[in-house]
Amino acid sequence: MQGDLGWFGLEWDEVVLQSRQDERHRAALDRLAAAGRLYRCDCSRSKIKAHGVRGADGGWVYPNTCRAQVVGGDWRSVTGVIRARLDDARLALADESGLDLSQTPATALGDPVVRRRDGAVAYNLAVVVDDADLGVTRVVRGRDIALSTATQVALQRLLGLPQPSYRHHLLFLEENRAKLAKLHGAVGARQLRARYSAAELCGVIAAAAGLSEHATATSPRELLSGFAWRKVRVADQILRLTGTDLVWVGAAASATGVERG
Ligand SMILES: [Zn+2]
């Protein structure tokens, strides 16, 4: 992916591999354990599903069933899933774009998994620890992640970490409303690189995003000088692969874009 991003003309200051943050992630789990926040969850997917409550993200809400199974400093010896007990309070939260992300994450989605069954630290905790370690003060990301923000802020508060500001932007979708992403096998980077130069592709994307009137060749660096968030379309946009051409169709009918990828 770094290769594709570099080809496209995106630049970065530093590459930090999440796997190298292991020690810091474990230290965060130690802190949560010391605060009595970690518990062992034995619930199967089907048990959680049987509870029958859908979250706003389309997934099944975890009903915090196992909260009594508190694990302490010996969390490393626990096999299986470990969750963190969040406060049951509502978090008032809005991102820079004005998107209201207020939520009671403990009940809206359920206490988050912080260590997965396979022993890996789960996304919500990893991203919170990494952002703090790297001194990230501003997070810009797709709207598909928006509903996780309250959970992440709740974890930041438990860990006493600073809260970055957030902004969530539109998504490019394919017409079946799944995300237009390599992840879904919709359009691969290799396919696009075979058809377009980086400047041409950047032009197509810039026009679809609202940053330029026509799909004229450009680069991220060129777009920077005239960049303003007010130019960026709010509604999710549909792109279609016609033959080898990536064609911008227009705005998606409703701006959901929050289904989990
Ligand atoms: Zn459970």
PDB file of all heavy atoms in Angstrom, residues 30 33-34 38 70-79 82 115:
ATOM      1  N   ASP A  30      -2.111  -2.911  30.861  1.00  0.00           N
ATOM      2  CA  ASP A  30      -1.742  -2.945  32.284  1.00  0.00           C
ATOM      3  C   ASP A  30      -2.463  -1.838  33.061  1.00  0.00           C
ATOM      4  O   ASP A  30      -2.965  -2.064  34.159  1.00  0.00           O
ATOM      5  CB  ASP A  30      -0.224  -2.754  32.441  1.00  0.00           C
ATOM      6  CG  ASP A  30       0.565  -4.029  32.149  1.00  0.00           C
ATOM      7  OD1 ASP A  30      -0.010  -5.133  32.280  1.00  0.00           O
ATOM      8  OD2 ASP A  30       1.750  -3.918  31.790  1.00  0.00           O
ATOM      9  N   ALA A  33      -6.068  -2.670  33.406  1.00  0.00           N
ATOM     10  CA  ALA A  33      -6.224  -3.764  34.368  1.00  0.00           C
ATOM     11  C   ALA A  33      -6.112  -3.231  35.797  1.00  0.00           C
ATOM     12  O   ALA A  33      -6.909  -3.585  36.671  1.00  0.00           O
ATOM     13  CB  ALA A  33      -5.172  -4.841  34.110  1.00  0.00           C
ATOM     14  N   ALA A  34      -5.128  -2.355  36.010  1.00  0.00           N
ATOM     15  CA  ALA A  34      -4.919  -1.793  37.346  1.00  0.00           C
ATOM     16  C   ALA A  34      -6.131  -0.989  37.801  1.00  0.00           C
ATOM     17  O   ALA A  34      -6.420  -0.899  38.995  1.00  0.00           O
ATOM     18  CB  ALA A  34      -3.665  -0.910  37.345  1.00  0.00           C
ATOM     19  N   LEU A  38     -10.623  -4.245  32.959  1.00  0.00           N
ATOM     20  CA  LEU A  38     -10.566  -5.361  32.005  1.00  0.00           C
ATOM     21  C   LEU A  38     -11.406  -6.542  32.480  1.00  0.00           C
ATOM     22  O   LEU A  38     -11.401  -6.874  33.652  1.00  0.00           O
ATOM     23  CB  LEU A  38      -9.118  -5.819  31.800  1.00  0.00           C
ATOM     24  CG  LEU A  38      -8.153  -4.829  31.167  1.00  0.00           C
ATOM     25  CD1 LEU A  38      -6.822  -5.521  30.878  1.00  0.00           C
ATOM     26  CD2 LEU A  38      -8.726  -4.212  29.899  1.00  0.00           C
ATOM     27  N   VAL A  70     -13.952  -9.810  36.008  1.00  0.00           N
ATOM     28  CA  VAL A  70     -12.845  -8.859  35.992  1.00  0.00           C
ATOM     29  C   VAL A  70     -11.509  -9.592  36.026  1.00  0.00           C
ATOM     30  O   VAL A  70     -11.350 -10.566  36.760  1.00  0.00           O
ATOM     31  CB  VAL A  70     -12.956  -7.902  37.206  1.00  0.00           C
ATOM     32  CG1 VAL A  70     -11.755  -6.967  37.277  1.00  0.00           C
ATOM     33  CG2 VAL A  70     -14.253  -7.111  37.136  1.00  0.00           C
ATOM     34  N   VAL A  71     -10.594  -9.148  35.189  1.00  0.00           N
ATOM     35  CA  VAL A  71      -9.237  -9.686  35.254  1.00  0.00           C
ATOM     36  C   VAL A  71      -8.302  -8.580  35.704  1.00  0.00           C
ATOM     37  O   VAL A  71      -8.469  -7.414  35.339  1.00  0.00           O
ATOM     38  CB  VAL A  71      -8.754 -10.284  33.901  1.00  0.00           C
ATOM     39  CG1 VAL A  71      -9.571 -11.501  33.542  1.00  0.00           C
ATOM     40  CG2 VAL A  71      -8.800  -9.273  32.788  1.00  0.00           C
ATOM     41  N   GLY A  72      -7.341  -8.930  36.487  1.00  0.00           N
ATOM     42  CA  GLY A  72      -6.404  -7.937  37.019  1.00  0.00           C
ATOM     43  C   GLY A  72      -5.103  -7.959  36.250  1.00  0.00           C
ATOM     44  O   GLY A  72      -5.084  -8.153  35.037  1.00  0.00           O
ATOM     45  N   GLY A  73      -4.032  -7.793  37.001  1.00  0.00           N
ATOM     46  CA  GLY A  73      -2.701  -7.701  36.405  1.00  0.00           C
ATOM     47  C   GLY A  73      -2.274  -8.970  35.686  1.00  0.00           C
ATOM     48  O   GLY A  73      -1.286  -8.968  34.947  1.00  0.00           O
ATOM     49  N   ASP A  74      -3.017 -10.046  35.902  1.00  0.00           N
ATOM     50  CA  ASP A  74      -2.662 -11.321  35.253  1.00  0.00           C
ATOM     51  C   ASP A  74      -3.383 -11.497  33.916  1.00  0.00           C
ATOM     52  O   ASP A  74      -3.544 -12.618  33.429  1.00  0.00           O
ATOM     53  CB  ASP A  74      -3.011 -12.491  36.183  1.00  0.00           C
ATOM     54  CG  ASP A  74      -4.488 -12.512  36.538  1.00  0.00           C
ATOM     55  OD1 ASP A  74      -5.167 -11.467  36.348  1.00  0.00           O
ATOM     56  OD2 ASP A  74      -4.976 -13.561  37.006  1.00  0.00           O
ATOM     57  N   TRP A  75      -3.807 -10.383  33.316  1.00  0.00           N
ATOM     58  CA  TRP A  75      -4.570 -10.469  32.062  1.00  0.00           C
ATOM     59  C   TRP A  75      -3.823 -11.237  30.972  1.00  0.00           C
ATOM     60  O   TRP A  75      -4.427 -11.835  30.095  1.00  0.00           O
ATOM     61  CB  TRP A  75      -4.969  -9.072  31.571  1.00  0.00           C
ATOM     62  CG  TRP A  75      -3.808  -8.178  31.223  1.00  0.00           C
ATOM     63  CD1 TRP A  75      -3.212  -7.264  32.044  1.00  0.00           C
ATOM     64  CD2 TRP A  75      -3.096  -8.139  29.991  1.00  0.00           C
ATOM     65  NE1 TRP A  75      -2.165  -6.655  31.410  1.00  0.00           N
ATOM     66  CE2 TRP A  75      -2.073  -7.166  30.139  1.00  0.00           C
ATOM     67  CE3 TRP A  75      -3.217  -8.808  28.775  1.00  0.00           C
ATOM     68  CZ2 TRP A  75      -1.177  -6.866  29.110  1.00  0.00           C
ATOM     69  CZ3 TRP A  75      -2.319  -8.506  27.749  1.00  0.00           C
ATOM     70  CH2 TRP A  75      -1.324  -7.547  27.927  1.00  0.00           C
ATOM     71  N   ARG A  76      -2.501 -11.240  31.049  1.00  0.00           N
ATOM     72  CA  ARG A  76      -1.721 -11.942  30.011  1.00  0.00           C
ATOM     73  C   ARG A  76      -2.001 -13.444  29.997  1.00  0.00           C
ATOM     74  O   ARG A  76      -1.848 -14.099  28.974  1.00  0.00           O
ATOM     75  CB  ARG A  76      -0.219 -11.721  30.237  1.00  0.00           C
ATOM     76  CG  ARG A  76       0.254 -10.330  29.843  1.00  0.00           C
ATOM     77  CD  ARG A  76       1.737 -10.175  30.212  1.00  0.00           C
ATOM     78  NE  ARG A  76       2.245  -8.860  29.844  1.00  0.00           N
ATOM     79  CZ  ARG A  76       2.035  -7.765  30.567  1.00  0.00           C
ATOM     80  NH1 ARG A  76       1.314  -7.823  31.672  1.00  0.00           N
ATOM     81  NH2 ARG A  76       2.523  -6.603  30.167  1.00  0.00           N
ATOM     82  N   SER A  77      -2.369 -13.973  31.162  1.00  0.00           N
ATOM     83  CA  SER A  77      -2.602 -15.422  31.232  1.00  0.00           C
ATOM     84  C   SER A  77      -4.019 -15.805  30.800  1.00  0.00           C
ATOM     85  O   SER A  77      -4.353 -16.981  30.713  1.00  0.00           O
ATOM     86  CB  SER A  77      -2.346 -15.913  32.661  1.00  0.00           C
ATOM     87  OG  SER A  77      -3.297 -15.328  33.538  1.00  0.00           O
ATOM     88  N   VAL A  78      -4.835 -14.789  30.526  1.00  0.00           N
ATOM     89  CA  VAL A  78      -6.210 -15.053  30.094  1.00  0.00           C
ATOM     90  C   VAL A  78      -6.216 -15.461  28.623  1.00  0.00           C
ATOM     91  O   VAL A  78      -5.608 -14.784  27.797  1.00  0.00           O
ATOM     92  CB  VAL A  78      -7.092 -13.791  30.288  1.00  0.00           C
ATOM     93  CG1 VAL A  78      -8.476 -13.992  29.690  1.00  0.00           C
ATOM     94  CG2 VAL A  78      -7.176 -13.425  31.764  1.00  0.00           C
ATOM     95  N   THR A  79      -6.851 -16.562  28.335  1.00  0.00           N
ATOM     96  CA  THR A  79      -7.018 -16.914  26.920  1.00  0.00           C
ATOM     97  C   THR A  79      -8.394 -16.420  26.485  1.00  0.00           C
ATOM     98  O   THR A  79      -9.337 -16.409  27.267  1.00  0.00           O
ATOM     99  CB  THR A  79      -6.928 -18.440  26.701  1.00  0.00           C
ATOM    100  OG1 THR A  79      -7.848 -19.075  27.584  1.00  0.00           O
ATOM    101  CG2 THR A  79      -5.523 -18.941  26.956  1.00  0.00           C
ATOM    102  N   ILE A  82     -10.650 -10.163  25.690  1.00  0.00           N
ATOM    103  CA  ILE A  82     -10.705  -9.259  26.844  1.00  0.00           C
ATOM    104  C   ILE A  82     -11.359  -7.958  26.395  1.00  0.00           C
ATOM    105  O   ILE A  82     -11.001  -7.386  25.364  1.00  0.00           O
ATOM    106  CB  ILE A  82      -9.299  -8.979  27.417  1.00  0.00           C
ATOM    107  CG1 ILE A  82      -8.662 -10.276  27.930  1.00  0.00           C
ATOM    108  CG2 ILE A  82      -9.374  -7.939  28.532  1.00  0.00           C
ATOM    109  CD1 ILE A  82      -7.238 -10.108  28.455  1.00  0.00           C
ATOM    110  N   ARG A 115      -8.472  -6.751  23.651  1.00  0.00           N
ATOM    111  CA  ARG A 115      -7.525  -7.761  23.199  1.00  0.00           C
ATOM    112  C   ARG A 115      -8.311  -8.893  22.566  1.00  0.00           C
ATOM    113  O   ARG A 115      -9.242  -9.430  23.158  1.00  0.00           O
ATOM    114  CB  ARG A 115      -6.665  -8.297  24.344  1.00  0.00           C
ATOM    115  CG  ARG A 115      -5.371  -8.930  23.794  1.00  0.00           C
ATOM    116  CD  ARG A 115      -4.790  -9.967  24.705  1.00  0.00           C
ATOM    117  NE  ARG A 115      -5.723 -11.058  24.931  1.00  0.00           N
ATOM    118  CZ  ARG A 115      -5.491 -12.060  25.783  1.00  0.00           C
ATOM    119  NH1 ARG A 115      -4.385 -12.068  26.484  1.00  0.00           N
ATOM    120  NH2 ARG A 115      -6.374 -13.030  25.935  1.00  0.00           N
TER     121      ARG A 115
END
